[in-house]
Amino acid sequence: MDFLDEIEASVPALRRYARALTRNADRADDLVQDCLERAISRRGLFAPTGQLEGWLFRILVNLWRNATRSERRRGEHLPFEDLPVEPSVPPAQPGRIALAEMSRAIDRLPPEQREALLLVVLEGKSYEEAASILSIPSGTLMSRLGRARSALRSLTGGSDEPRLRSVK
Amino acid sequence: MSTPLTDTDLHAFVDGRLPPGRAAEVEAFLARHPEKAAEIAHWQRQNEAINALFAPLDSQPLPERLRPRPIAARLGSRLRWPQLAAAATVLLALGGAIGWAGRDLLRPAASELLIADAVAAHALYVKENRHAVEVAATDRDHLVTWLSNRIDRPVTPPDLTAEGFSLVGGRLLPGYEQTEAGPAALLMYENAAAERVTVYITAASPGKLQPDNSSTAPA
């Protein structure tokens, strides 16, 4: 499998992650296209000992960060802290989180928490891989993960739920 | 019992990354701490929800703009050139039998300087689109006469049509200062894929191409 085939094998995962980050299929594909162009034109910079997919994810994350940063400068998106807090709706069924509610809650996570949570949960990256993709120490990754999970819990009304035990 | 449980253990438990022994310790801990158990159960449901929302990979064929091969082909002529530039320029210049007197006598150091010059000119002008050459191949007679006069050698553009390359035109380059070699001519060729090859022609002679030996009498 050569370099380009290997890249192609990673494209579906890159798209999935980009869609979850941006919540917009067109924007996600723009991001992935940008990422692929960069990777291919800079293939000389890729060290063959490294993980190709991790390198692609790192490029994607950096492009996304650049994009969200400039959007925030243009004022298109409100920072998380300024969003009005909606009263959280109790889950429709105990023990199940309504997907639409979770989807809204993820949108409201600060970008750095969303990046971390989605890499680990959606892409199944190990904590080390995720930290390396995000260029942060693993302690920072764990604390972002912790904050993301607490935030999602309060945003989806989880703290008001009846106590449930996870049963195997 | 082993080391105390940490937050990382709890995350790893939820993410299914704990070895069975350690996971059993977490379960035992949660059985004793219902508050924490409720939180951890919520984390697990978050994971399920995230995967339900986003996980299915798109099984449709990739759109053209996300396929690496077409992207590479589109970037191709731009990206392959820096790597091939040196080889192409040197091979053609050395192999082209284009009136480069005394090339066998060139010292390695001197030829390296010359090659560096040729590569720099190549890199600068292959990127140009409308201004790649000063005189186009449509004006071939004028091009040949002009360059021959200026570098004081007969210039005969090699025929590369067998290789798929046709002459775009040429330009005059400033001389090689340290060696007083006089101006150089650059011929540019292009193929159907818009890949470009340049031929660098100089009247430099061995005596003039020894930069650390300026006391040598010019040939």
Side-chain angles (χ1 to χ4, degrees):
Chain A
M1 189 148 99
D2 79 356
F3 183 77
L4 294 176
D5 290 331
E6 229 180 303
I7 289 187
E8 183 154 343
S10 298
V11 173
L14 291 168
R15 284 180 99 189
R16 172 174 63 189
Y17 184 60
R19 284 179 183 181
L21 277 182
T22 62
R23 315 305 302 278
N24 176 317
D26 288 336
R27 233 185 119 196
D29 282 357
D30 287 347
L31 206 54
V32 173
Q33 184 183 350
D34 246 16
C35 165
L36 298 175
E37 283 174 2
R38 265 162 208 255
I40 291 167
S41 65
R42 293 172 190 188
R43 59 195 289 178
L45 298 181
F46 172 67
T49 49
Q51 289 295 312
L52 181 58
E53 187 166 288
W55 183 61
L56 295 170
F57 270 96
R58 192 170 321 145
I59 296 175
L60 187 84
V61 163
N62 288 330
L63 290 170
W64 186 67
R65 286 174 174 171
N66 294 343
T68 49
R69 209 173 295 146
S70 48
E71 262 171 28
R72 235 175 296 172
R73 268 201 298 274
R74 290 198 304 268
E76 286 178 16
H77 285 211
L78 286 173
F80 171 68
E81 293 77 13
D82 296 354
L83 288 172
V85 177
E86 292 165 18
S88 55
V89 185
Q93 301 163 272
R96 304 288 293 177
I97 299 168
L99 289 183
E101 193 188 1
M102 178 56 90
S103 170
R104 280 194 302 273
I106 291 169
D107 277 349
R108 292 168 59 175
L109 288 179
E112 68 276 5
Q113 292 178 20
R114 211 183 325 165
E115 287 167 7
L117 184 72
L118 292 171
L119 267 186
V120 168
V121 175
L122 185 60
E123 298 306 325
K125 299 293 179 201
S126 74
Y127 299 145
E128 299 81 53
E129 281 175 312
S132 147
I133 288 168
L134 299 175
S135 313
I136 54 176
S138 51
T140 308
L141 177 85
M142 297 319 293
S143 76
R144 286 183 187 176
L145 211 49
R147 276 181 282 138
R149 286 177 158 153
S150 308
L152 286 187
R153 189 170 180 226
S154 51
L155 286 167
T156 55
S159 44
D160 299 324
E161 265 187 298
R163 286 169 194 170
L164 294 166
R165 187 83 49 86
S166 104
V167 189
K168 293 241 158 143
Chain B
M1 276 313 239
S2 53
T3 50
L5 294 177
T6 63
D7 278 351
T8 300
D9 285 320
L10 296 179
H11 286 291
F13 175 75
V14 168
D15 294 325
R17 316 262 166 95
L18 279 189
R22 193 68 170 166
E25 286 177 37
V26 172
E27 278 169 2
F29 166 82
L30 293 178
R32 296 192 305 271
H33 298 86
E35 285 275 348
K36 204 67 188 167
E39 187 181 352
I40 297 307
H42 196 274
W43 289 6
Q44 285 170 324
R45 291 196 302 279
Q46 291 174 10
N47 280 15
E48 289 162 15
I50 288 170
N51 280 292
L53 279 169
F54 305 112
L57 283 179
D58 205 330
S59 56
Q60 301 292 316
L62 290 178
E64 185 77 359
R65 68 178 180 127
L66 299 185
R67 290 180 48 228
R69 278 185 199 289
I71 292 175
R74 190 153 40 77
L75 299 172
S77 48
R78 257 189 289 157
L79 99 113
R80 272 195 294 275
W81 272 107
Q83 292 149 21
L84 288 185
T89 314
V90 172
L91 278 176
L92 282 171
L94 290 176
I98 42 178
W100 182 2
R103 64 181 189 272
D104 293 334
L105 301 174
L106 289 182
R107 285 185 165 189
S111 53
E112 275 165 26
L113 289 172
L114 193 62
I115 288 165
D117 224 30
V119 170
H122 176 92
L124 180 61
Y125 291 113
V126 288
K127 284 185 259 178
E128 287 290 336
N129 198 9
R130 293 177 58 190
H131 307 291
V133 295
E134 287 174 294
V135 177
T138 47
D139 212 355
R140 186 187 174 104
D141 290 345
H142 170 63
L143 175 70
V144 168
T145 313
W146 171 57
L147 290 178
S148 299
N149 285 339
R150 294 304 306 271
I151 70 168
D152 203 19
R153 291 285 187 290
V155 170
T156 314
D159 184 358
L160 301 179
T161 45
E163 283 75 31
F165 286 87
S166 56
L167 185 65
V168 178
R171 63 166 60 241
L172 191 68
L173 299 173
Y176 195 50
E177 210 175 299
Q178 297 94 316
T179 57
E180 299 170 342
L186 188 77
L187 298 175
M188 187 179 293
Y189 293 78
E190 193 174 62
N191 71 4
E195 291 170 330
R196 287 171 164 181
V197 166
T198 60
V199 180
Y200 181 91
I201 305 168
T202 169
S205 64
K208 288 176 179 172
L209 268 170
Q210 290 172 12
D212 0 333
N213 198 357
S214 52
S215 61
T216 304

